[in-house]
Amino acid sequence: QEQLDESGGGLVQAGGSLRLSCKASRRAFTYEMAWFRQAPGKEREFVASITRSGRNRFYIPDVEGRFTISRDIDNFMVALQMNSLKPEDTAVYYCAGRSESRGLRDQFYDYWGQGTQVTVSS
């Protein structure tokens, strides 16, 4: 029943890589797709997003240069390639979508996945 279905999380050592994938229903594959993450005891935070054309990508400074978000229009999928992982990246990662870019980059997302756990050990 999930309209957004994440996969690819796991346990890796610091410096390693993971690739997260999000398979979306047609309806949930919205104008702007994003990845959020939430670490224990912390609020959910925006990580990266990509707009419909795939030409506009946004990253928080903490992951810029290490993470890459991509969008596969034909297959209704969005991916997050994570390289040079750090223990601070440990969190549950969520795929999300919103129908338009409105307000702040992390606001007004309509669709959410269940999340996938990423754990980075030192």
Side-chain angles (χ1 to χ4, degrees):
Q1 293 202 62
E2 299 292 337
Q3 293 183 294
L4 297 174
D5 186 11
E6 304 102 329
S7 63
L11 173 64
V12 297
Q13 194 170 8
S17 298
L18 283 174
R19 184 177 180 86
L20 306 183
S21 295
C22 173
K23 183 176 177 60
S25 67
R26 184 182 296 270
R27 181 178 179 85
F29 199 64
T30 46
Y31 169 76
E32 186 167 7
M33 302 298 297
W35 288 95
F36 289 75
R37 66 186 180 187
Q38 186 167 23
K42 296 184 178 180
E43 294 184 349
R44 184 170 58 200
E45 68 171 342
F46 172 88
V47 176
S49 70
I50 184 168
T51 51
R52 180 168 286 140
S53 69
R55 297 176 182 177
N56 296 315
R57 303 176 186 182
F58 305 90
Y59 302 93
I60 57 172
D62 285 349
V63 308
E64 197 162 22
R66 298 189 297 120
F67 292 8
T68 302
I69 189 169
S70 60
R71 185 169 184 157
D72 185 339
I73 301 297
D74 293 336
N75 294 308
F76 307 113
M77 297 188 71
V78 60
L80 185 69
Q81 177 67 44
M82 306 185 295
N83 298 325
S84 301
L85 283 163
K86 304 174 181 179
E88 303 89 84
D89 296 318
T90 296
V92 177
Y93 283 71
Y94 298 90
C95 182
R98 65 178 182 176
S99 59
E100 61 180 331
S101 295
R102 183 164 63 95
L104 300 177
R105 190 58 55 186
D106 62 344
Q107 291 183 314
F108 307 118
Y109 282 82
D110 305 303
Y111 301 95
W112 294 88
Q114 289 287 96
T116 184
Q117 178 71 50
V118 172
T119 303
V120 185
S121 62
S122 60

